Amino acid sequence: MCTSLKISPPLSSLPPILPAPTPLPPVLAPSHCTASLLPSVSQERCRVCKAGQMGEITNVTEYQAIAKQKLPKMIYDYYASGAEDEWTLKENREAFSRILFRPRILIDVSRIDMTTTVLGFKISMPIMIAPSAMQKMAHPEGEYATARAASAAGTIMTLSSWATSSVEEVASTGPGIRFFQLYVYKDRKVVEQLVRRAERAGFKAIALTVDTPRLGRREADIKNRFVLPPYLTLKNFEGLELGTMDKSNDSGLASYVAGQIDRTLSWKDVKWLQSITSLPILVKGVITAEDARLAVHSGAAGIIVSNHGARQLDYVPATISALEEVVTAAAGRIPVYLDGGVRRGTDVFKALALGAAGVFIGRPVVFALAAEGEAGVRNVLRMMRDEFELTMALSGCTSLADITRSHIYTESDRFARPFPRL
Ligand code: FNR
């Protein structure tokens, strides 16, 4: 794949006896070089060809293959898998690919402003980090690395309830705007304590996950008898006897959820949550207009259109397909965000064109963590940002406000206006 360029001087110009080659100083592999991460390829090859066997990482999806190589199967499968047939998992990506652009031309795009505000907090771009559990299985620095990378990129990290680092530990990594994702336990005292701790640790909002009264059937986890490795704990629950997971004849996480998570959770609990915290609440897991209207009435500060990365109910639509009906139902009263299958700057643009106020990314973060820790997560955020900026430029948009519904074609536009054949 990589060819090293050899420039030979004319023979006559060579000294008669070449001096013994001085050993080259050790050179660290470029931080985004996949060669350095593969045991079969030496650093030397990386230095010579500047990349290596798989080449330089040029998009976020490439981290998945590296993570697969590096991680034990049980852990990789936990991160990668979706529920049952994984139809929605595939569809979360494919639905993006069915949306096409209607770019505008001859617009001065020499300056592009990607900044935005989320719940009043200014961030550098409308791309944030979704909560994904147990990040220390991917890398020893886990959530610390993610928090630092998000902060360096000027964006928001959402910390999972089931993180392997506590809210206090993540706060101690330094400044940054952070949200806390909440799972509601049967024991409401536990929930209250946790919300207090998140508030004290400076978290700015609660993302209340509402799509998990039971865990979706992730067959890879069942086959692998997935369990949190014994050297790790769900740090937020350490000391409450809820920080570990027992091995079971099923997915250990599914059994944990069945034992601890409150299946009775309903809209009245959004009110209850508001009664115990003044933090704004984002309802994470809405995919219908009906629920969007209920979320508005419940006093939620925002909605995250999410199907949990296709890990809960299979055969729900891709989030990008559900987005427009939710946006229409929310009617501008609260902001609507989206996660699920966002892997390209073009995906971010499409989501914004359909009315999202921003997006969150999940798996690319854990895969990049597995590959290169904090540097990987920084690189994911950088690549997403660069691609999004380029998409804006090539579509003729200089600020997020310029991105409109008429910059894209969706399948539903087929009847409204001529649709190019796919
Ligand atoms: C998740 N997700 C998730 N959601 C949540 O509310 N709490 C959690 O603890 C987790 N944990 C988690 C672990 C892993 C490994 C994945 C892949 C996902 C769902 C997550 O927040 C988000 O909704 C999806 O990951 C978005 O889809 P993509 O970007 O992964 O396709």
Side-chain angles (χ1 to χ4, degrees):
M1 173 177 268
C2 300
T3 49
S4 36
L5 193 61
K6 289 193 185 124
I7 302 172
S8 312
L11 273 179
S12 56
S13 71
L14 287 173
I17 300 168
L18 286 170
T22 30
L24 289 168
V27 177
L28 282 178
S31 70
H32 314 307
C33 170
T34 56
S36 63
L37 303 162
L38 298 170
S40 57
V41 182
S42 69
Q43 298 274 356
E44 179 66 17
R45 172 165 164 72
C46 176
R47 178 175 59 198
V48 171
C49 75
K50 292 282 190 296
Q53 198 176 50
M54 287 175 60
E56 194 177 337
I57 294 272
T58 52
N59 65 68
V60 306
T61 306
E62 288 172 359
Y63 276 118
Q64 182 159 358
I66 303 168
K68 190 170 186 179
Q69 288 239 2
K70 291 195 83 175
L71 293 173
K73 180 174 164 40
M74 179 191 79
I75 293 171
Y76 171 78
D77 284 354
Y78 167 71
Y79 290 145
S81 61
E84 297 186 356
D85 296 334
E86 301 190 334
W87 182 87
T88 300
L89 184 65
K90 208 157 138 242
E91 177 67 3
N92 267 356
R93 286 297 306 133
E94 287 185 353
F96 274 113
S97 72
R98 296 194 297 268
I99 299 174
L100 305 181
F101 287 111
R102 299 181 70 245
R104 301 300 309 278
I105 52 163
L106 292 177
I107 292 167
D108 175 354
V109 290
S110 54
R111 274 164 203 257
I112 297 215
D113 179 10
M114 286 179 285
T115 59
T116 188
T117 53
V118 170
L119 304 180
F121 298 98
K122 186 156 187 192
I123 55 174
S124 64
M125 58 180 174
I127 304 166
M128 298 166 275
I129 296 186
S132 44
M134 305 177 237
Q135 296 186 0
K136 282 192 180 170
M137 296 192 308
H139 188 274
E141 294 270 295
E143 293 85 3
Y144 305 146
T146 304
R148 289 193 196 105
S151 171
T155 193
I156 292 167
M157 172 205 186
T158 316
L159 183 73
S160 166
S161 277
W162 295 335
T164 38
S165 314
S166 66
V167 284
E168 293 83 6
E169 286 171 333
V170 169
S172 76
T173 59
I177 305 160
R178 298 182 187 113
F179 294 170
F180 180 68
Q181 176 271 328
L182 184 68
Y183 280 124
V184 177
Y185 279 57
K186 289 177 184 168
D187 184 345
R188 293 300 172 93
K189 291 242 155 43
V190 168
V191 180
E192 277 193 59
Q193 268 182 30
L194 192 52
V195 169
R196 294 270 161 280
R197 285 171 56 197
E199 284 172 346
R200 276 199 297 269
F203 284 71
K204 302 293 186 215
I206 303 281
L208 174 68
T209 299
V210 294
D211 57 14
T212 313
R214 296 173 59 177
L215 201 74
R217 205 177 145 76
R218 306 163 192 175
E219 293 181 3
D221 291 352
I222 297 169
K223 284 195 209 308
N224 295 331
R225 305 276 185 264
F226 172 79
V227 76
L228 181 66
Y231 58 91
L232 293 172
T233 54
L234 303 180
K235 266 293 176 97
N236 289 316
F237 300 97
E238 212 178 47
L240 297 168
E241 315 227 323
L242 294 168
T244 54
M245 232 172 260
D246 296 326
K247 258 203 169 314
S248 76
N249 281 339
D250 192 338
S251 147
L253 184 60
S255 307
Y256 181 89
V257 169
Q260 303 304 334
I261 299 302
D262 190 350
R263 287 185 195 180
T264 72
L265 196 73
S266 69
W267 287 105
K268 71 177 179 354
D269 295 306
V270 178
K271 292 268 178 237
W272 168 77
L273 193 55
Q274 283 161 350
S275 76
I276 65 159
T277 182
S278 53
L279 290 179
I281 297 165
L282 297 172
V283 180
K284 175 176 184 282
V286 172
I287 48 170
T288 62
E290 295 89 317
D291 285 336
R293 282 191 283 272
L294 290 171
V296 171
H297 288 132
S298 75
I303 288 171
I304 305 176
V305 175
S306 173
N307 53 32
H308 212 115
R311 293 158 77 82
Q312 287 297 107
L313 182 61
D314 199 15
Y315 296 98
V316 293
T319 49
I320 193 67
S321 308
L323 176 62
E324 203 164 21
E325 76 167 71
V326 173
V327 167
T328 306
R333 291 175 64 188
I334 54 176
V336 176
Y337 304 93
L338 168 135
D339 73 27
V342 178
R343 302 290 179 268
R344 286 283 191 187
T346 50
D347 300 337
V348 181
F349 187 102
K350 290 170 183 177
L352 267 60
L354 286 167
V359 302
F360 292 83
I361 50 175
R363 288 181 185 82
V365 170
V366 282
F367 293 144
L369 258 186
E372 331 183 74
E374 182 182 333
V377 184
R378 281 180 186 241
N379 197 33
V380 160
L381 293 170
R382 186 189 57 75
M383 286 188 288
M384 292 293 298
R385 180 194 165 86
D386 289 352
E387 288 180 15
F388 178 55
E389 185 182 40
L390 180 62
T391 309
M392 285 181 69
L394 298 181
S395 302
C397 298
T398 60
S399 73
L400 303 191
D402 288 349
I403 301 174
T404 67
R405 180 65 175 79
S406 58
H407 283 94
I408 56 164
Y409 285 113
T410 68
E411 286 169 297
S412 64
D413 299 327
R414 264 171 208 260
F415 304 107
R417 53 180 172 228
F419 191 82
R421 277 188 92 77
L422 291 180

